[in-house]
């Protein structure tokens, strides 16, 4: 999976109105890069200059349920979204995960305000239905431009320390590192070692720290934190059942100094997430029935898990392999309106393939649940025979079949 968060995007009125009607340029860019690698945009949320995107390989789609997307403005007394956080809450193989991208207040003297905004964003993550409180989620990933600065040391000392890669003394005066020692909640969040240079502030289109009149002191403003759910303490002499296996380990935590388009340098964290899945089979199993051609209505067979609650608004989409997002279908069919038969738990619906352009691409079928607002079943890739396969309605035996 890829989780991507941006801050300080172009958030003018014209840009916001344009992005409401069309895909925003950053989402399109990342889809262009990741879709050829079989990654699909699963969800996104935007609040003015903040954007949060989640991509996943297509085989994971039936096991990812998007439960909620939220925006929490904290700028201008909570009425303006130039500062704040955006959140995506999802269920991954049965585990609850919250991902937050934030932009906190700037400047050295505003540390208390940053902590206040951190708490406010957390308090606003109230979910409807039976979604547990965010602090009861199995994993919280919290990242963004947190704007914490380096205290006490002067500009010259900080720059010389960076030049000599002597970061230890700077870590001790990093505001986030200091507050994590005293704040009970922040102490529960983990972070990798800051083995890379401070990522703010640079002259644009260069790797030079700020040479403007303000000469802002470098700082590690761009951070990635995570918090695993605390396991309840076992009572003395009382054996407790083994908790499902769920662990997160950091593989690397680095900055990327070769990018020049911002006055910040981007930071990435790569993690290994190991789990014992609580959901091991998709809610829907589906496949094309028989040999598919581009000349006739074709049949899709699917079966439902016993606990799956279907809706008349559920639909099945036909996609080319390499789809960018769930709305990228070639055609679709409402399962309630196009049902052919139901027999011993096996459902059949027909779909019209007449208008599909001839191509050598492979295809996928995805079942979208209206109740769960997520893909709950996906077929294996398959091919559709072009019209050239047929001569007098007889399949040319030399053509490979499905």
């Amino acid at each position: 999976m890829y989780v991507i968060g941006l801050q300080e995007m172009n958030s003018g009125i014209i840009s916001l109105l344009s992005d409401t009607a069309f895909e925003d340029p950053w989402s399109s860019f990342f889809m262009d890069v990741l879709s050829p690698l079989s990654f699909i945009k699963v969800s996104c949320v935007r609040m003015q200059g903040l954007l949060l995107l989640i991509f996943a390989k297509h085989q994971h789609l039936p096991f990812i349920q998007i439960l909620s997307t939220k925006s929490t403005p904290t700028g201008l007394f909570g009425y303006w979204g130039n500062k704040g956080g955006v959140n995506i809450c999802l269920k991954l193989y049965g585990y609850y995960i919250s991902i937050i991208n934030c932009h906190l207040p700037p400047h050295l003297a505003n540390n208390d305000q940053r902590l206040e905004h951190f708490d406010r964003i957390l308090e606003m993550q109230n979910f409807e239905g039976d979604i547990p409180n965010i602090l009861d989620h199995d994993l919280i990933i919290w990242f963004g431009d947190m704007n914490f600065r380096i205290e006490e040391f002067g500009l010259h000392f900080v720059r010389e320390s960076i030049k000599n890669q002597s970061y230890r003394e700077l870590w001790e005066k990093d505001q986030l590192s200091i507050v994590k020692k005293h704040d009970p909640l922040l102490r529960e969040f983990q972070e990798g070692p800051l083995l890379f240079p401070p990522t703010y502030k640079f002259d644009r289109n260069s790797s030079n720290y700020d040479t403007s009149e303000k000469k802002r002191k470098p700082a590690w403003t761009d951070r990635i934190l995570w918090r695993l759910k605390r396991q309840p303490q076992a009572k003395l002499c009382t054996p407790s059942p083994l908790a499902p296996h769920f662990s997160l380990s950091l593989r690397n935590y680095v900055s990327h100094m070769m990018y020049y388009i911002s006055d910040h340098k981007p930071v990435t964290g790569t993690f290994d997430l190991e789990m014992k899945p609580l959901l091991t089979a998709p809610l829907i199993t589906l496949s094309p029935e028989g040999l598919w051609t581009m000349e006739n209505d074709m049949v899709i067979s699917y079966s439902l898990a016993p606990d799956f609650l279907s809706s008349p608004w559920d639909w099945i989409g036909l996609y080319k392999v390499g789809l960018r997002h769930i709305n990228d279908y070639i055609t679709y069919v409402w399962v309630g309106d196009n049902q052919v038969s139901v027999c011993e738990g096996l459902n059949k619906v027909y779909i019209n393939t007449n208008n599909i352009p001839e191509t050598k691409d492979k295809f996928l079928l995805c079942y979208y649940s209206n109740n769960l607002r997520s893909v709950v079943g996906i077929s294996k890739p398959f091919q559709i025979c072009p019209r050239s396969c047929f001569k007098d309605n007889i399949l040319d035996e030399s053509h490979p079949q499905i």
Side-chain angles (χ1 to χ4, degrees), residues 92-280:
L92 177 66
Y93 286 91
Y95 294 93
Y96 288 94
I97 296 175
S98 266
I99 300 169
I100 300 173
N101 173 26
C102 73
H103 193 183
L104 302 181
H107 307 309
L108 180 67
N110 288 335
N111 200 35
D112 289 343
Q113 192 178 7
R114 279 187 280 278
L115 298 176
E116 178 188 331
H117 284 208
F118 189 95
D119 289 340
R120 192 184 308 171
I121 293 169
L122 196 62
E123 289 169 2
M124 294 301 292
Q125 304 307 314
N126 300 316
F127 303 103
E128 299 176 356
D130 15 343
I131 306 175
N133 181 281
I134 188 171
L135 293 179
D136 291 322
H137 286 191
D138 298 286
L139 173 64
I140 303 172
I141 297 176
W142 194 321
F143 67 105
D145 182 0
M146 298 189 180
N147 260 321
F148 289 103
R149 305 305 170 96
I150 295 173
E151 294 184 344
E152 297 187 21
F153 296 132
L155 174 63
H156 180 74
F157 180 86
V158 172
R159 288 194 173 184
E160 281 299 306
S161 298
I162 295 169
K163 182 179 177 181
N164 298 323
Q165 298 185 5
S166 302
Y167 300 137
R168 185 171 299 278
E169 288 183 278
L170 301 184
W171 297 337
E172 294 175 358
K173 300 302 179 182
D174 169 67
Q175 288 178 330
L176 180 56
S177 301
I178 293 170
V179 77
K180 281 175 93 292
K181 297 175 183 177
H182 308 290
D183 187 288
L185 182 56
L186 266 170
R187 194 184 300 143
E188 295 180 3
F189 283 85
Q190 301 179 60
E191 183 182 18
L194 297 170
L195 301 178
F196 49 87
T199 55
Y200 174 85
K201 170 181 171 59
F202 290 85
D203 294 335
R204 289 184 185 273
N205 303 312
S206 81
S207 288
N208 301 320
Y209 283 105
D210 186 17
T211 59
S212 70
E213 290 183 5
K214 294 184 179 180
K215 287 188 170 57
R216 293 176 179 86
K217 190 165 58 173
W220 286 287
T221 57
D222 310 284
R223 313 290 278 268
I224 300 173
L225 310 177
W226 72 94
R227 176 189 182 273
L228 289 164
K229 181 181 177 181
R230 290 179 297 178
Q231 295 297 328
Q233 296 292 325
K235 293 182 179 180
L236 192 62
C237 300
T238 304
S240 59
L242 289 174
H245 181 68
F246 187 89
S247 65
L248 189 77
S249 56
L250 179 66
R251 187 184 295 181
N252 64 48
Y253 186 35
V254 295
S255 65
H256 299 271
M257 305 300 286
M258 74 288 291
Y259 292 101
Y260 301 132
I261 64 171
S262 170
D263 55 358
H264 293 248
K265 298 299 181 183
V267 173
T268 60
T270 304
F271 297 87
D272 292 318
L273 175 59
E274 296 184 31
M275 68 178 81
K276 181 180 180 180
L278 303 177
L279 182 65
T280 56

Side-chain angles (χ1 to χ4, degrees), residues 389 394-401:
C389 291
I394 299 175
L395 183 65
D396 182 349
E397 292 182 359
S398 66
H399 190 279
Q401 299 187 16

Side-chain angles (χ1 to χ4, degrees), residues 17 24 48 116 179 219 231 316 358 385:
L17 291 175
D24 74 84
Q48 289 181 224
E116 178 188 331
V179 77
Q231 295 297 328
I316 296 174
E358 291 197 14
C385 288

